[in-house]
Amino acid sequence: MNKYRTHTCGELNQSHKGDKIILSGWINKKRDHGNLLFIDLRDNYGLTQCVIDKDNVIFKEIEKLPLETVIKIEGKVIERTKETVNKKIETGQIEISIENFESLGSTKELPMPVFSDQEYAEEIRLKYRFLDLRRKKIHQNIILRSKVISFIRSEMQKFGFLEFQTPILTSSSPEGARDFLVPSRLNPGKFYALPQAPQQFKQLIMVSGFDKYFQIAPCFRDEDARADRSPGEFYQLDIEMSFVEQEDIFNIVEKLFINLFKNFSDKKILHEKFPKISYEDAMLKYGSDKPDLRNPLIISDITKIFYREDIKFEIFKKLVKSGSVVRCLVTKNTKDKPRSFFDGIDKWAKEQGSSGLAYFTLEKNDTISGKGPVGKFFSEDSILEIMKQTKAEIGDTILLSCGKQHDVEKILSQTRAKLANELNLIDDNCFSFCWVVDYPIFEIDEVSNKIIFSHNPFSMPQGDINNIDLSKPLNLKAYQYDIVCNGIELSSGAIRNHIPELMYKLFEIAGYSKNNVDENFSGMINALSYGAPPHGGIAPGLDRIVMLLADEKNIREVTMFPMNQNAQDLMMNAPSNVSDQQLKELNLAIRKKS
RNA sequence: GGGGGUGUAGCUCAGUUGGUUAGAGCACGUGCCUGUCACGCACGGGGCCGAGGGUUCGAGUCCCUUCACUCCCGCCA
């Protein structure tokens, strides 16, 4: 209790009847009857209706206050009559009879209303974020975020993890995303980089013997934004453990996630033991390494069928002979969908940059046949074979894509999501987690045609580490894994490669010489040479976890002060120009645009 | 870097085939109203129709250019 309030706006009820109280908060809403005025007073904790009539000398004054003025109200708690109780708010059993008030903070005309469930343009919301954050939904989202972080901290500590901070100013690394750079005043011409993740530090923490580490870690990547990706910065629950195998990490993370999601959401968790899907399987069955398992549609490879004589689909057959694959999706019982539906899907697929989708619906009269634009190319026998391989039944529709494997995977993955959406196949009231495992260490870069690391260069190859066959690098799998929930990639992690000699060999395959590695990863490689424990970890994205729990589609809805798509903070005017003096101290010159 | 969508009052939006004075709700101002909780009623102020150029007798509306925001692709080990 102080001079501003005896209670909050969310706590008064009949038990306070007759009490003299003081509340402070914002004027959320006024209902002015001329001789009787209702004010809904709002603070972080709730709403309380306050009432005053014209007999009070301050009536005229308080009547004039605009919405969102901050006021202090002194008054008495009155029990409402039965007819006037408001069941929609916590304090609806009572109201405050206003005896006196004081304006604590006046307001200019509002650029956006606070009391409204309407959607507003992003620009105005970000510029006046402090107003936007007063609004109920986003206010609750931010509170949820805080509670989620507290919960995670307490769980991790219970599991025996220690929380450490790692440097924000560190060195640039050649692998991965574009770095944010910070010029060094004391070392002219040199730059720090903000960490893309505390990857090397967390491994160094293990080498230092701390055994189990976690951190709610800020990560900085200078890449373009998406709805589920903030520009600039985001947070990870960074975890690393010593003397562990992949399965140990899985156990900890599954426990944490099940507790977390059960605690903060009523949605059903489909598999409490997260299914494990190999990268290869995921790419085949879902066309993506972040499959939404709520979606029942599965992709099948039917390339081989196109070698049959009794299929006359010459375009596909020709492509298959030159190395293309044919894969398909099956929609159940869609025989009554109008032709325009599937033509629309085909048209959409072409707009996504693919060569389109062929389709036919399985029909049975005297014989089984394919109905639709390309159905006539398939004999009854060939259709039976397709039905066998895809488990399709009469009345189902087969949608086919033919092309390079990578392109087919991509378009069928998108089609899978689109069809599920349009056919309403996804139960939005559940969470479906899975592990994607067995990632390849290397892949071929499409542009340069060279072998590059497909994910993390620090991951441990699978197999006997004393005797790994490096002759076919593209076949090498890593102890590398992702958690996916409802089609959203929540995190990736790995058992790390803690053996310098092996690391040099892998880097060599990706085109880095020993000197090169020594230079770029000196901190890591040096540390690993002085008795490093086997270790591994993972780093779930915190913002995306909160997004799922808050049931939001956009990451800015769970971020307090986000930047816009062009990485600008409209409220603080960042980034901004700096003085010549500052530039001079940093030995920097701005190059004029040509 | 590329593609899509949007841009009209402080906010959310409508605006017909190109037609004379650009509308509504909320907010704001004035007045009326003693039980509302999205209070109600009346009146009022408020607009470079994102910007620039063009077509036309005439452009919020059609064309071109450009800017801003947003979604997607590229990118994000």
Side-chain angles (χ1 to χ4, degrees), chain A residues 3 22 30 60 133 260 344 393 398 400 405 407 411 553 564-565 574:
Chain A
K3 69 175 179 178
I22 305 174
K30 289 190 297 183
K60 278 288 169 202
L133 287 167
L260 181 66
E393 296 167 312
I398 317 268
L400 309 108
Q405 181 175 323
D407 296 337
I411 190 61
K553 298 262 181 298
N564 70 6
Q565 197 169 48

Side-chain angles (χ1 to χ4, degrees), chain A residues 59-78:
Chain A
F59 182 82
K60 278 288 169 202
E61 215 179 322
I62 201 168
E63 192 186 24
K64 282 199 163 54
L65 296 172
L67 301 184
E68 294 307 309
T69 306
V70 179
I71 57 170
K72 168 177 132 180
I73 279 176
E74 291 176 50
K76 198 192 269 183
V77 180
I78 308 284

Side-chain angles (χ1 to χ4, degrees), chain A residues 172-208:
Chain A
S172 178
S173 77
E175 282 282 325
R178 201 176 289 114
D179 283 319
F180 278 101
L181 297 176
V182 179
S184 166
R185 177 178 58 87
L186 295 174
N187 302 276
K190 295 192 174 177
F191 292 82
Y192 303 97
L194 305 184
Q196 297 176 22
Q199 178 65 37
Q200 296 193 51
F201 288 110
K202 68 168 163 179
Q203 293 193 238
L204 291 163
I205 289 171
M206 292 303 103
V207 179
S208 309

